[in-house]
Amino acid sequence: MEIERINENTVKFYISYLDIEQRGFDREEIWYNRERSEELFWEMMDEVHQEEEFEVEGPLWIQVHALDKGLEVLVTRAQVGKDGQRFDLPISDKLKDLPVDERIEELLDQQFNPAKDELDDEELVDEPLEFLLRFKDFEDVISLSKRPGLDDIFTRLFAYENKYYLYVEFDEEIFSEDEIDDLLSILLEYGLESHLTIHRLEEYGKEVIEDNVFETLRKHFM
């Protein structure tokens, strides 16, 4: 992937279709499968962050251009003026009203999936409330396992590209919304939210602990 830093708030990168396929993505599915297109985007952004220290924060403007042999992607962050106010990005009023994460997803959906019909409400009902956290050091996962009140969360631990990833899934019949918020605050004290998907970890990563991560770690490291 070729990365070009345009300025402090804008980065442009080019990725060939061959590179896309070598990363485990199908050339066609990225245009019609929202989850896969988002996964590819965040994987590319992780690489951009590592090479150019380009932080994903605040509103983003994303442009995707399909070329003969690959994709050219332009990503611009909202700029902050001297008065602390953000300059507007060229996005619709509808998107401006969305939270940042939803706005990014909507932008990606417009760029990669312009012809895809919206999902019916029935298709969204049974989706689990899941998160994926990235840890720089295994010791951070061990330290987290010693915090009380986490054992009822469904957890799996993976190793991928020299980092550890904790998959967590909340049962909304067990936890209230406030309890989930409190637990997430604890989890985020030790790890960072990752934009990889569990499917990528299952395919390319190594599963270290298949469930009950915190209980298992305490048995071996206490």
Side-chain angles (χ1 to χ4, degrees):
M1 189 171 77
E2 300 174 9
I3 303 171
E4 178 184 356
R5 186 67 175 263
I6 306 299
N7 54 43
E8 181 181 355
N9 295 295
T10 303
V11 65
K12 180 171 68 175
F13 48 95
Y14 170 82
I15 183 169
S16 69
Y17 291 124
L18 177 60
D19 190 354
I20 289 173
E21 292 172 354
Q22 289 176 340
R23 293 168 184 258
F25 297 88
D26 182 85
R27 175 173 173 171
E28 298 299 326
E29 73 176 344
I30 61 172
W31 296 107
Y32 303 106
N33 185 318
R34 176 172 180 163
E35 182 179 275
R36 293 292 279 167
S37 60
E38 289 179 13
E39 183 179 349
L40 173 62
F41 175 79
W42 289 117
E43 182 174 311
M44 292 188 293
M45 288 305 297
D46 282 344
E47 191 170 326
V48 170
H49 170 63
Q50 292 175 12
E51 294 191 19
E52 295 291 338
E53 297 185 354
F54 186 84
E55 295 285 352
V56 179
E57 54 185 15
L60 294 179
W61 180 44
I62 305 164
Q63 280 188 309
V64 180
H65 301 284
L67 306 178
D68 289 340
K69 296 184 178 180
L71 302 178
E72 183 180 82
V73 184
L74 187 72
V75 179
T76 300
R77 294 182 303 213
Q79 301 178 47
V80 180
K82 294 181 180 180
D83 59 356
Q85 299 296 316
R86 293 186 181 275
F87 297 131
D88 287 336
L89 288 170
I91 57 179
S92 69
D93 291 336
K94 176 184 176 182
L95 291 183
K96 289 179 182 179
D97 294 333
L98 292 175
V100 172
D101 288 345
E102 293 181 22
R103 186 184 302 143
I104 292 173
E105 290 182 1
E106 188 67 27
L107 283 165
L108 287 172
D109 209 24
Q110 289 179 2
Q111 295 290 340
F112 284 105
N113 308 305
K116 184 180 70 64
D117 294 330
E118 292 186 2
L119 292 174
D120 294 330
D121 291 339
E122 294 179 0
E123 294 181 273
L124 299 175
V125 172
D126 295 326
E127 289 189 0
L129 187 57
E130 56 186 28
F131 296 89
L132 194 64
L133 301 175
R134 183 179 77 247
F135 297 84
K136 294 181 179 179
D137 196 307
F138 187 61
E139 291 297 327
D140 293 333
V141 191
I142 296 174
S143 297
L144 174 60
S145 71
K146 299 176 182 178
R147 295 290 295 265
L150 303 178
D151 287 352
D152 287 334
I153 306 172
F154 177 76
T155 51
R156 300 168 67 186
L157 186 66
F158 293 84
Y160 177 65
E161 293 187 346
N162 299 318
K163 293 183 177 63
Y164 289 91
Y165 291 84
L166 179 71
Y167 170 81
V168 298
E169 185 177 310
F170 292 98
D171 185 340
E172 294 181 87
E173 294 184 0
I174 297 177
F175 300 105
S176 68
E177 185 175 337
D178 288 340
E179 288 173 329
I180 291 174
D181 288 341
D182 291 341
L183 292 170
L184 275 176
S185 296
I186 295 174
L187 296 173
L188 290 170
E189 289 179 24
Y190 297 84
L192 299 173
E193 186 174 359
S194 172
H195 296 292
L196 290 181
T197 68
I198 185 63
H199 308 295
R200 187 160 188 81
L201 291 177
E202 288 174 334
E203 185 171 357
Y204 296 102
K206 177 182 179 181
E207 188 171 41
V208 180
I209 302 175
E210 64 180 357
D211 60 15
N212 296 323
V213 171
F214 302 129
E215 182 181 350
T216 302
L217 288 176
R218 289 197 303 273
K219 288 180 179 178
H220 292 87
F221 296 98
M222 296 247 339

